[in-house]
């Protein structure tokens, strides 16, 4: 099979997508029980809460990423570079706006609505710092979306999965080490922020190469 054929690229993309689906499940099965045991019920509950909020805030996208991928692919194929530049600039502005909204939601929830989650045994200051770290991660993830849209638009799912799996591996293994050495939840969320920052840098590097 020729490496530049459509069949080869399709099979390659499917293979990377399958790996990207299986690996997170494997990490969850083997690492989650250790983290739950080391963090304790209250701390792990807060971690699940922040991840749940992050998941809901992903809906703030409102289909923007799908549109960005579509237009990047179209303009790149047609060689309409000025339209591509304007599309990227407009999308980048919207992603920054989404990032600020996500951060604000985390800060508002952490400051004024903790009572709604019925969290006990943990200081409010600690939870506020945790929510701030999660909000900053959400902000950075939103900003990264413009760069992360480029590889799939150009049918380079291998790049997407390599970067995402690298971030996943570093975060999960790092979280495991931190939990084993009895670090608090703040350290784990700080690690998550740093790995997302590294992922953003990687996507920006590939953006320069692909475009």
């Amino acid at each position: 099979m020729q490496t530049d054929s459509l069949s080869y690229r399709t099979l390659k993309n499917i293979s990377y997508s399958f790996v990207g689906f299986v690996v997170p499940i494997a990490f969850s099965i083997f690492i989650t029980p250790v983290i739950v045991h080391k963090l304790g019920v209250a701390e792990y509950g807060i971690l699940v809460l922040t991840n749940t909020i992050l998941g809901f805030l992903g809906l703030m996208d409102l289909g923007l990423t799908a549109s960005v991928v579509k237009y990047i692919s179209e303009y790149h194929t047609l060689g309409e570079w000025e339209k591509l530049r304007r599309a990227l600039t407009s999308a980048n502005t919207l992603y920054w706006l989404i990032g600020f909204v996500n951060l604000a939601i985390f800060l508002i929830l952490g400051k004024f609505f903790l009572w709604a989650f019925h969290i006990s045994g943990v200081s409010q200051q600690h939870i506020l710092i945790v929510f701030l770290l999660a909000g900053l991660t959400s902000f950075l993830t939103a900003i990264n979306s413009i760069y992360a849209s480029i590889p799939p638009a150009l049918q380079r799912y291998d790049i997407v999965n390599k970067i995402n799996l690298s971030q996943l591996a570093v975060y999960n293994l790092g979280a495991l080490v931190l939990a084993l050495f009895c670090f608090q939840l703040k350290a784990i969320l700080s690690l998550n922020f740093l790995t997302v920052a590294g992922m953003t840098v990687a996507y920006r590097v590939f953006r320069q190469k692909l475009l």
Side-chain angles (χ1 to χ4, degrees), residues 1-39:
M1 185 181 297
Q2 296 180 350
T3 57
D4 59 345
S5 67
L6 178 60
S7 299
Y8 176 81
R9 293 200 304 269
T10 302
L11 181 61
K12 183 179 180 181
N13 288 332
I14 291 174
S15 300
Y16 274 106
S17 296
F18 177 75
V19 173
F21 174 77
V22 172
V23 172
I25 296 176
F27 274 121
S28 297
I29 292 174
F30 292 104
I31 293 179
T32 299
V34 178
I35 293 180
V36 173
H37 175 71
K38 290 295 183 177
L39 286 181

XYZ file of all heavy atoms in Angstrom, residues 1-39:
313
model
N 0.849 -1.204 0.000
C 0.000 0.000 0.000
C 0.882 1.249 0.000
O 1.790 1.374 0.826
C -0.917 0.003 1.227
C -1.926 1.146 1.243
S -2.951 1.111 2.738
C -3.796 -0.463 2.540
N 0.630 2.170 -0.909
C 1.428 3.378 -0.994
C 1.154 4.301 0.193
O 0.010 4.489 0.601
C 1.129 4.110 -2.295
C 1.523 3.327 -3.543
C 1.216 4.103 -4.801
O 0.551 5.140 -4.776
N 1.716 3.604 -5.930
N 2.226 4.868 0.719
C 2.083 5.699 1.927
C 1.360 7.012 1.680
O 0.918 7.663 2.627
C 3.475 6.000 2.519
O 4.286 6.642 1.527
C 4.155 4.705 2.966
N 1.272 7.427 0.418
C 0.575 8.682 0.115
C -0.842 8.462 -0.418
O -1.508 9.406 -0.831
C 1.368 9.507 -0.896
C 1.580 8.750 -2.210
O 1.362 7.524 -2.227
O 1.964 9.403 -3.196
N -1.307 7.206 -0.375
C -2.641 6.902 -0.884
C -3.698 7.235 0.155
O -3.424 7.311 1.355
C -2.746 5.424 -1.263
O -2.658 4.604 -0.115
N -4.944 7.426 -0.297
C -6.054 7.733 0.594
C -6.324 6.572 1.539
O -6.608 6.781 2.729
C -7.306 8.045 -0.222
C -8.583 8.350 0.577
C -8.376 9.566 1.475
C -9.766 8.568 -0.357
N -6.231 5.342 1.049
C -6.476 4.157 1.887
C -5.472 4.078 3.029
O -5.840 3.782 4.172
C -6.404 2.889 1.034
O -7.388 2.898 0.026
N -4.214 4.356 2.719
C -3.182 4.303 3.757
C -3.423 5.374 4.814
O -3.350 5.102 6.018
C -1.797 4.493 3.132
C -0.681 4.550 4.148
C -0.144 3.387 4.685
C -0.180 5.782 4.588
C 0.874 3.434 5.628
C 0.834 5.837 5.531
C 1.361 4.665 6.043
O 2.362 4.727 6.981
N -3.721 6.603 4.367
C -3.958 7.686 5.331
C -5.182 7.402 6.182
O -5.188 7.675 7.391
C -4.128 9.013 4.585
C -2.872 9.513 3.890
C -2.964 11.010 3.610
N -4.145 11.327 2.825
C -4.168 11.372 1.501
N -3.073 11.096 0.810
N -5.269 11.694 0.846
N -6.214 6.834 5.572
C -7.426 6.502 6.325
C -7.149 5.444 7.377
O -7.557 5.569 8.541
C -8.537 6.005 5.376
O -8.821 7.008 4.405
C -9.801 5.691 6.160
N -6.443 4.374 6.984
C -6.094 3.305 7.928
C -5.208 3.834 9.046
O -5.383 3.474 10.224
C -5.394 2.167 7.188
C -4.974 0.958 8.041
C -6.196 0.315 8.685
C -4.228 -0.066 7.178
N -4.284 4.707 8.701
C -3.384 5.290 9.695
C -4.159 6.131 10.700
O -3.944 6.031 11.914
C -2.328 6.142 8.988
C -1.274 6.753 9.912
C -0.273 7.544 9.100
C 0.783 8.163 9.987
N 1.772 8.957 9.198
N -5.080 6.955 10.207
C -5.878 7.799 11.097
C -6.771 6.964 12.006
O -6.930 7.266 13.194
C -6.722 8.770 10.277
C -5.896 9.873 9.646
O -4.852 10.250 10.168
N -6.354 10.383 8.518
N -7.366 5.897 11.461
C -8.213 5.019 12.263
C -7.395 4.343 13.362
O -7.832 4.236 14.517
C -8.892 3.961 11.368
C -9.933 4.617 10.457
C -9.557 2.876 12.223
C -10.538 3.673 9.446
N -6.195 3.897 13.027
C -5.336 3.225 14.001
C -4.969 4.157 15.144
O -5.039 3.782 16.325
C -4.068 2.718 13.306
O -4.381 1.798 12.281
N -4.580 5.387 14.817
C -4.227 6.342 15.861
C -5.446 6.704 16.714
O -5.324 6.879 17.937
C -3.625 7.604 15.245
C -2.135 7.502 15.001
C -1.628 7.351 13.717
C -1.233 7.557 16.059
C -0.256 7.256 13.494
C 0.127 7.465 15.843
C 0.614 7.318 14.561
O 1.964 7.213 14.346
N -6.605 6.818 16.089
C -7.819 7.131 16.849
C -8.169 6.003 17.806
O -8.612 6.248 18.936
C -8.986 7.380 15.880
O -8.736 8.517 15.074
N -7.963 4.757 17.368
C -8.245 3.612 18.232
C -7.310 3.608 19.442
O -7.744 3.395 20.586
C -8.083 2.311 17.442
C -8.286 1.075 18.274
C -9.559 0.681 18.662
C -7.200 0.314 18.676
C -9.746 -0.455 19.442
C -7.379 -0.821 19.455
C -8.653 -1.210 19.841
N -6.034 3.857 19.185
C -5.068 3.922 20.290
C -5.435 5.049 21.240
O -5.375 4.902 22.472
C -3.641 4.120 19.747
C -2.657 4.365 20.894
C -3.206 2.909 18.938
N -5.848 6.202 20.684
C -6.246 7.326 21.515
C -7.485 7.064 22.349
O -7.711 7.718 23.368
N -8.277 6.074 21.941
C -9.465 5.698 22.707
C -9.128 4.687 23.802
O -9.656 4.765 24.926
C -10.509 5.101 21.756
C -11.726 4.548 22.452
C -12.714 5.393 22.935
C -11.878 3.178 22.626
C -13.836 4.884 23.583
C -13.001 2.665 23.276
C -13.976 3.516 23.746
N -8.233 3.759 23.511
C -7.929 2.655 24.433
C -7.010 3.090 25.568
O -7.229 2.719 26.729
C -7.305 1.471 23.666
C -6.807 0.401 24.644
C -8.318 0.880 22.702
N -5.971 3.869 25.256
C -4.968 4.220 26.256
C -5.556 4.952 27.466
O -5.225 4.615 28.614
C -3.830 5.041 25.615
C -2.883 5.590 26.682
C -3.054 4.173 24.625
N -6.429 5.970 27.289
C -7.012 6.624 28.468
C -7.775 5.663 29.372
O -7.755 5.804 30.599
C -7.958 7.671 27.855
C -7.394 7.953 26.516
C -6.848 6.643 26.041
N -8.446 4.686 28.770
C -9.171 3.690 29.572
C -8.200 2.876 30.414
O -8.434 2.616 31.604
C -10.001 2.770 28.661
C -11.081 3.573 27.933
C -10.638 1.637 29.465
C -11.885 2.759 26.937
N -7.085 2.487 29.812
C -6.072 1.704 30.533
C -5.504 2.506 31.705
O -5.338 1.974 32.820
C -4.957 1.290 29.572
N -5.204 3.781 31.475
C -4.699 4.625 32.558
C -5.723 4.718 33.687
O -5.361 4.638 34.872
C -4.377 6.025 32.038
C -2.997 6.161 31.465
C -2.810 6.545 30.156
C -1.881 5.893 32.239
C -1.536 6.675 29.620
C -0.594 6.016 31.718
C -0.432 6.409 30.402
N -6.985 4.880 33.348
C -8.032 5.011 34.368
C -8.145 3.747 35.215
O -8.288 3.812 36.443
C -9.378 5.309 33.699
O -9.347 6.546 33.026
N -8.068 2.598 34.578
C -8.224 1.327 35.293
C -7.112 1.117 36.310
O -7.356 0.691 37.448
C -8.268 0.160 34.289
C -9.559 0.226 33.459
C -8.169 -1.181 35.019
C -9.622 -0.801 32.358
N -5.877 1.434 35.932
C -4.736 1.103 36.785
C -4.332 2.222 37.741
O -3.792 1.954 38.821
C -3.529 0.717 35.914
C -3.713 -0.572 35.167
C -3.981 -0.563 33.817
C -3.656 -1.786 35.833
C -4.164 -1.752 33.122
C -3.846 -2.993 35.152
C -4.095 -2.974 33.792
N -4.584 3.470 37.380
C -4.083 4.579 38.179
C -5.138 5.159 39.114
O -4.822 5.543 40.246
C -3.511 5.678 37.256
C -2.260 5.143 36.551
C -3.187 6.941 38.038
C -1.627 6.138 35.595
N -6.387 5.197 38.679
C -7.443 5.815 39.486
C -7.565 5.220 40.894
O -7.667 5.981 41.869
C -8.802 5.725 38.759
O -8.721 6.423 37.513
C -9.908 6.330 39.612
N -7.555 3.882 41.075
C -7.667 3.340 42.447
C -6.567 3.827 43.377
O -6.830 4.095 44.564
C -7.564 1.822 42.221
C -8.027 1.614 40.814
C -7.526 2.808 40.066
N -5.353 3.972 42.869
C -4.240 4.432 43.707
C -4.457 5.890 44.119
O -4.272 6.252 45.286
C -2.897 4.290 42.952
C -1.753 4.815 43.818
C -2.659 2.841 42.555
N -4.871 6.716 43.176
C -5.081 8.135 43.468
C -6.232 8.318 44.456
O -6.153 9.137 45.374
C -5.344 8.912 42.161
C -4.085 8.910 41.293
C -5.791 10.343 42.456
C -4.229 9.643 39.989
N -7.296 7.538 44.290
C -8.426 7.613 45.228
C -7.968 7.266 46.633
O -8.311 7.950 47.613
C -9.558 6.665 44.785
C -10.652 6.622 45.858
C -10.153 7.109 43.459
N -7.175 6.211 46.748
C -6.699 5.760 48.067
C -5.791 6.806 48.716
O -5.898 7.059 49.924
C -5.951 4.436 47.918
C -5.324 3.956 49.187
N -6.061 3.479 50.251
C -4.012 3.887 49.565
C -5.241 3.128 51.232
N -4.003 3.368 50.846
N -4.910 7.412 47.926
C -3.939 8.347 48.484
C -4.554 9.723 48.773
O -4.219 10.354 49.778
C -2.757 8.496 47.524
C -1.866 7.260 47.432
C -1.172 6.985 48.754
C -0.237 5.811 48.659
N 0.501 5.574 49.931
N -5.434 10.192 47.904
C -6.028 11.507 48.111
C -7.115 11.493 49.179
O -7.307 12.471 49.900
C -6.621 12.037 46.803
C -5.658 12.534 45.725
C -6.432 13.049 44.517
C -4.746 13.634 46.259
